[in-house]
Amino acid sequence: MAPATRVLIVADGDVAPSELAAFAAAAGPLRLVAADGGAAHVLAAGLVPDVVVGDFDSLGAAERRRLEELGVELRVASPDKDESDMELCLLAALEAGATHVTIVGALGLVRPEHSVANLLLLADPRLDGLEVVIEGRGSRLWRVGTPAGPGRTTIEGEPGDYVSLFPLDTLTEGVTTSGLRFRLADEALPLGPSRGLSNELTTESAHVTTRRGRLLVIHTRRSSADAEPAGGT
């Protein structure tokens, strides 16, 4: 089998079957990997995963039987493992030769520590050079840069969309932006303070560069945010 260049990982969080089906259709040829209970979302969307990874503590017996009938590869891990199911899925994507990974269902989990763990996986150095994007509820989240090297990204959207920038290292240096309401010019963002929260696109295309350090970029469509109950600070 030729190495997969695009992998779609489905976790057991907040994802609608129609949204999942749309992501899969838009991505074109890909390898579909489900994290444990995420396989139920895949089946509900009328799709079949290539592989399901995890300790199978959140997948129902009926769904597991269906997967076995379909001949899906099931990689059963010990419950007493060091890695999360999502981390095992990312390792499976690397093993498959992925160059681009989209993750859905990684947020909105009943236990918030799993959502936090999924976000922090973006800082894993094993993902350096791999494009990893978390999608969900009108937002896209991805990492820019490395601990010792520069990063660059373009954000495509509509004026008024929200953009937040959070350091994933103690200090992310040389952050420069264009196309955002609150401009940064060769500035440092330290871990902890929320200065990078809730910036806004002023054009349809914004740019962010960094000199050193990893940066978490979160782009949320304003139309999606306005449809949600009010929150934040």
Side-chain angles (χ1 to χ4, degrees):
M1 179 178 178
T5 57
R6 302 185 70 86
V7 173
L8 176 62
I9 297 177
V10 183
D12 195 21
D14 189 3
V15 56
S18 58
E19 182 183 33
L20 175 53
F23 277 128
L30 53 75
R31 184 169 175 80
L32 184 51
V33 180
D36 204 334
H41 295 309
V42 176
L43 293 174
L47 303 170
V48 178
D50 293 289
V51 59
V52 181
V53 182
D55 54 19
F56 288 77
D57 63 343
S58 57
L59 184 66
E63 286 85 1
R64 181 164 181 172
R65 283 195 301 271
R66 178 60 177 153
L67 293 168
E68 291 171 344
E69 292 169 356
L70 290 168
V72 174
E73 179 185 358
L74 306 180
R75 299 187 185 180
V76 184
S78 168
D80 300 323
K81 60 187 184 303
D82 293 330
E83 305 87 356
S84 67
D85 291 341
M86 176 57 67
E87 184 175 352
L88 292 175
C89 285
L90 281 168
L91 293 177
L94 288 171
E95 177 188 313
T99 58
H100 181 97
V101 177
T102 299
I103 304 171
V104 297
L107 307 174
L109 298 161
V110 174
R111 292 174 55 190
E113 66 269 30
H114 286 281
S115 295
V116 173
N118 289 338
L119 287 175
L120 291 179
L121 278 172
L122 293 178
D124 192 321
R126 291 173 294 184
L127 303 181
D128 288 355
L130 177 64
E131 186 178 357
V132 182
V133 178
I134 296 176
E135 298 264 14
R137 299 184 68 130
S139 293
R140 303 182 80 239
L141 306 88
W142 66 98
R143 185 189 93 182
V144 175
T146 65
R152 176 185 300 273
T153 193
T154 298
I155 305 160
E156 303 285 352
E158 299 292 334
D161 284 359
Y162 297 109
V163 175
S164 295
L165 306 174
F166 298 116
L168 291 172
D169 286 294
T170 303
L171 189 69
T172 299
E173 301 177 76
V175 182
T176 299
T177 66
S178 64
L180 297 180
R181 179 182 175 192
F182 304 107
R183 185 172 179 268
L184 296 175
D186 194 23
E187 299 185 45
L189 292 179
L191 184 65
S194 56
R195 183 183 178 192
L197 176 67
S198 294
N199 211 327
E200 296 179 16
L201 285 175
T202 57
T203 64
E204 294 182 350
S205 181
H207 303 279
V208 178
T209 59
T210 60
R211 185 169 61 252
R212 181 167 49 249
R214 294 165 294 184
L215 194 67
L216 176 64
V217 180
I218 305 176
H219 170 214
T220 300
R221 293 192 298 272
R222 180 176 285 271
S223 58
S224 299
D226 290 347
E228 296 291 330
T233 56

